[in-house]
């Protein structure tokens, strides 16, 4: 879970990278960083916290040059501390390189063991750093060739922005798990995780970076390579369900109407007699609109969100998460009292937030609370870059519907079906990754989480 950004040949490159990161803040809130190249030397500024906390009020004089990359991070691999914040920078025999990575490499443990066995000294506990070590060791003469050689060793999810002294490279893994788009700002090419970052800059959206594409921007212009063996692309459907911003055009389709369609199908699959549809803001809103349209039950803003606190999940410790639910949402008794409520959210993960929200609505006087989720039960952990807890913590992996309903203290619970989700997203089962919803894992991995924790989660603070 990260957001990445890159811009080539713009006089205000670092400033625009910071702006781009503001638009991608939803993809990661633990740290923010920007690297720039002045054509000779690479510069780096990063810190823990939100983009505004790291860069707000800063003049960016320490980030000169007309090429820049940016990164916002929410850790799926490696702990949350400054050395692990992106971009990560290294000096190598091919020159300096800075890397921003979104995704999770499933063979990072094998690669790290191999590299450490050969004497490599790692300075972070991220999976991304293996890419820099592979690059540093490549015997290819040309830096771009060295990068491409390294990329061929990677398995799993990697959308990348790579800054070299005089080039910017964008990469999307052959499965296309995570998004990456190309835009143009007055002749300067822009790379971003999502189109909402292009919109903010008033940059023109050109196209998605294709799965398996390596796009190189240098003095010779823009060119693309396709160095990986061809596989069936399987973009992550959870991006459509929850992760991406609803105003983004993702994998060729705008997210908001897909979420609305999920809500419409949910209403058909799990109708209920009720007085109002209440969205869990913000993530449940588009689906709640769809549910309301389909069912004819009015949409009522019965929960109010405080926008000045981050996403609930972002606080990594359970005790902190509990507090942040109350910080984030309040119910409106004047609207809810005596009413039969359909509460619509996008997903149920551990169930802890949802249980509190159901209680909030009930405490505000609702007569009935029917929870509707615009995605299927999450039964598996993601190993491709979305932070989902271990299976043992996933509610739907351990309980049947009746037990889930009792746990969240709702009158009923209804999940969108896997088929309904794909129908809304206009994807089909084999053409999108839905491993978290019980689908196959498109890239094999062996005990990744256990090994990854062992290798990468040593505390270096
Ligand atoms: P819970 O009550 O613990 O099941 O949390 C469900 C809430 O978490 C839903 O409102 C989702 O919008 C949100 N959510 C789902 N997946 C994630 C994720 N990977 N990271 C952060 N929040 C998430």
């Amino acid at each position: 879970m990260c957001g990445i950004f890159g811009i080539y040949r713009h006089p205000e490159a670092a400033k625009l990278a910071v702006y781009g990161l503001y638009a991608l803040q939803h993809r990661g809130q633990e740290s923010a960083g920007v690297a720039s190249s002045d054509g000779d030397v690479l510069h780096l500024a990063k810190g823990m916290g939100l983009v505004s906390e790291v860069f707000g009020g800063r003049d960016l004089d320490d980030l000169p040059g007309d090429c820049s990359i940016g990164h916002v991070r929410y850790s799926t691999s490696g702990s949350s501390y400054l050395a692990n914040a992106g971009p990560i920078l290294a000096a190598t025999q091919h020159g300096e390189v800075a890397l921003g990575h979104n995704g999770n490499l499933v063979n990072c443990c094998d690669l790290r063991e191999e590299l450490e066995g050969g004497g490599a000294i790692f300075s972070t506990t991220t999976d991304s750093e293996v890419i820099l070590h592979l690059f540093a060791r490549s015997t290819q003469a040309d830096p771009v060739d060295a990068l491409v050689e390294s990329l061929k060793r990677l398995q799993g999810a990697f959308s990348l922005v790579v800054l070299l002294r005089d080039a910017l490279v964008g990469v999307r893994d052959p499965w296309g798990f995570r998004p990456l788009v190309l835009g143009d700002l007055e002749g300067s090419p822009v790379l971003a995780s999502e189109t909402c970052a292009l919109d903010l800059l008033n940059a023109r959206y050109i196209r998605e970076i294709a799965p398996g594409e390596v796009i190189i921007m240098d003095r010779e212009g823009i060119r693309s390579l396709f160095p990986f063996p061809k596989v069936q692309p399987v973009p992550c459907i959870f991006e459509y369900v929850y992760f991406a911003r609803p105003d983004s055009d993702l994998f060729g389709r705008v997210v908001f109407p897909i979420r609305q369609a999920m809500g419409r199908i949910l209403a058909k699959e799990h109708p209920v007699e009720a007085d109002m549809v209440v969205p869990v803001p913000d993530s449940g809103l588009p689906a709640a609109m769809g549910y309301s349209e389909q069912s004819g039950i009015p949409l009522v803003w019965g929960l109010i969100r405080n926008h000045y606190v981050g996403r609930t999940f972002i606080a990594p410790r359970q005790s902190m998460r509990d507090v942040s639910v109350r910080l984030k949402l309040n119910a409106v008794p004047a609207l809810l009292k005596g009413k039969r409520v359909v509460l619509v959210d996008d997903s149920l993960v551990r169930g802890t937030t949802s249980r509190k929200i159901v209680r909030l609505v009930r405490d505000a006087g609702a007569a009935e609370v029917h929870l509707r989720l615009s995605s299927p039960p999450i039964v598996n952990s993601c190993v491709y870059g979305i932070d989902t807890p271990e299976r043992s913590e996933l509610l739907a992996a351990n309980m049947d519907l009746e037990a889930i309903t009792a746990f969240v203290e709702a009158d009923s619970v209804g999940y969108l079906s896997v088929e309904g989700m794909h129908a809304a997203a206009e994807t089909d089962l084999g053409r999108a990754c839905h491993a978290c919803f019980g689908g196959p894992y498109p890239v094999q991995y062996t005990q990744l989480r256990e090994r990854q924790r062992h290798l990468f989660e040593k505390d270096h603070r």
Side-chain angles (χ1 to χ4, degrees):
M1 286 170 69
C2 292
I4 54 176
F5 181 90
I7 183 157
Y8 186 67
R9 301 235 138 185
H10 193 287
E12 297 199 282
K15 191 173 173 183
L16 297 178
V18 171
Y19 287 160
L21 293 185
Y22 272 105
L24 300 173
Q25 185 77 83
H26 61 289
R27 298 188 70 88
Q29 295 139 352
E30 284 182 10
S31 66
V34 169
S36 70
S37 171
D38 60 15
D40 196 21
V41 177
L42 263 55
H43 307 264
L44 177 67
K46 59 184 178 180
M48 301 305 294
L50 300 175
V51 181
S52 57
E53 292 165 327
V54 179
F55 291 105
R58 200 163 158 161
D59 57 21
L60 305 179
D61 285 349
D62 52 346
L63 291 167
D66 62 3
C67 303
S68 193
I69 62 170
H71 186 261
V72 282
R73 177 164 196 260
Y74 179 44
S75 51
T76 49
S77 147
S79 314
S80 172
Y81 56 91
L82 188 59
N84 278 355
I88 50 179
L89 188 142
T92 74
Q93 60 173 335
H94 306 293
E96 283 186 302
V97 57
L99 173 80
H101 174 198
N102 174 206
N104 194 31
L105 305 175
V106 297
N107 64 338
C108 55
C109 300
D110 294 332
L111 291 173
R112 184 157 171 157
E113 275 166 4
E114 176 192 316
L115 289 158
E116 285 186 327
I121 298 169
F122 277 73
S123 54
T124 77
T125 60
T126 65
D127 59 337
S128 322
E129 193 183 349
V130 298
I131 306 171
L132 295 185
H133 283 275
L134 291 170
F135 174 74
R137 267 153 204 253
S138 169
T139 52
Q140 297 287 333
D142 180 73
V144 171
D145 293 342
L147 178 66
V148 168
E149 188 180 78
S150 330
L151 297 175
K152 288 185 186 165
R153 304 271 334 262
L154 310 180
Q155 293 280 312
F158 49 101
S159 281
L160 308 175
V161 284
V162 185
L163 185 65
L164 300 169
R165 195 164 53 94
D166 49 13
L168 171 64
V169 183
V171 180
R172 203 160 157 226
D173 65 69
W175 299 274
F177 283 107
R178 303 280 144 236
L180 189 64
V181 295
L182 176 68
D184 173 274
L185 179 63
E186 296 154 0
S188 301
V190 182
L191 294 167
S193 292
E194 294 183 35
T195 57
C196 60
L198 304 180
D199 295 342
L200 183 148
L201 302 179
N202 222 1
R204 187 167 54 90
Y205 171 45
I206 300 180
R207 63 175 177 86
E208 265 198 291
I209 302 303
E213 180 174 358
V214 176
I215 185 165
I216 301 137
M217 300 155 198
D218 61 15
R219 275 165 214 287
E220 288 159 34
I222 303 184
R223 64 187 191 283
S224 287
L225 307 172
F226 292 86
F228 307 103
K230 249 206 153 349
V231 294
Q232 171 62 52
V234 279
C236 163
I237 200 148
F238 199 71
E239 294 267 355
Y240 278 146
V241 166
Y242 167 77
F243 198 42
R245 236 170 75 162
D247 49 335
S248 283
D249 186 319
L250 197 93
F251 309 138
R253 305 215 21 235
V254 179
V255 176
F256 200 104
I258 291 177
R259 291 188 186 159
Q260 267 179 300
M262 287 172 172
R264 279 197 297 272
I265 297 172
L266 179 64
K268 283 191 211 161
E269 292 182 347
H270 297 285
V272 59
E273 280 212 11
D275 304 308
M276 55 177 64
V277 174
V278 174
V280 176
D282 292 326
S283 55
L285 176 65
M289 285 170 67
Y291 197 103
S292 165
E293 277 159 29
Q294 180 66 39
S295 62
I297 304 170
L299 187 76
V300 174
W301 214 260
L303 284 169
I304 302 299
R305 171 154 178 200
N306 176 346
H307 283 100
Y308 305 96
V309 281
R311 281 188 180 193
T312 323
F313 256 72
I314 298 306
R317 289 209 321 273
Q318 186 66 37
S319 56
M320 290 162 72
R321 241 190 321 267
D322 290 354
V323 174
S324 46
V325 173
R326 292 191 299 273
L327 278 172
K328 197 168 95 169
L329 288 175
N330 197 15
V332 189
L335 299 175
L336 298 169
K337 204 168 169 27
K339 303 294 184 196
R340 295 168 301 168
V341 172
V342 187
L343 191 63
V344 180
D345 203 355
D346 64 282
S347 57
L348 199 61
V349 186
R350 294 181 177 87
T352 45
T353 324
S354 315
R355 177 191 181 130
K356 290 193 182 78
I357 297 171
V358 171
R359 205 174 282 170
L360 261 183
V361 173
R362 233 188 257 289
D363 289 349
E368 292 171 21
V369 185
H370 301 273
L371 182 63
R372 294 292 178 269
L373 289 319
S374 60
S375 65
I378 300 179
V379 290
N380 284 321
S381 278
C382 179
V383 293
Y384 309 119
I386 298 282
D387 179 62
T388 35
E390 301 286 328
R391 274 197 102 225
S392 59
E393 289 182 55
L394 290 171
L395 202 63
N398 298 288
M399 288 184 191
D400 62 14
L401 190 64
E402 200 182 324
I404 292 172
T405 310
F407 180 84
V408 298
E409 299 172 3
D411 292 284
S412 72
V413 173
Y415 282 99
L416 183 64
S417 66
V418 169
E419 294 71 25
M421 172 177 70
H422 282 286
E426 292 179 20
T427 48
D428 56 1
L429 291 175
R431 287 172 198 271
C433 179
H434 63 279
C436 56
F437 299 120
Y441 283 88
V443 184
Q444 287 314 312
Y445 68 97
T446 357
Q447 295 191 316
L448 181 78
R449 286 183 156 243
E450 291 71 19
R451 295 181 65 205
Q452 193 155 297
R453 190 178 313 114
H454 165 67
L455 266 179
F456 290 104
E457 307 236 329
K458 299 167 206 153
D459 205 4
H460 284 203
R461 273 168 282 195

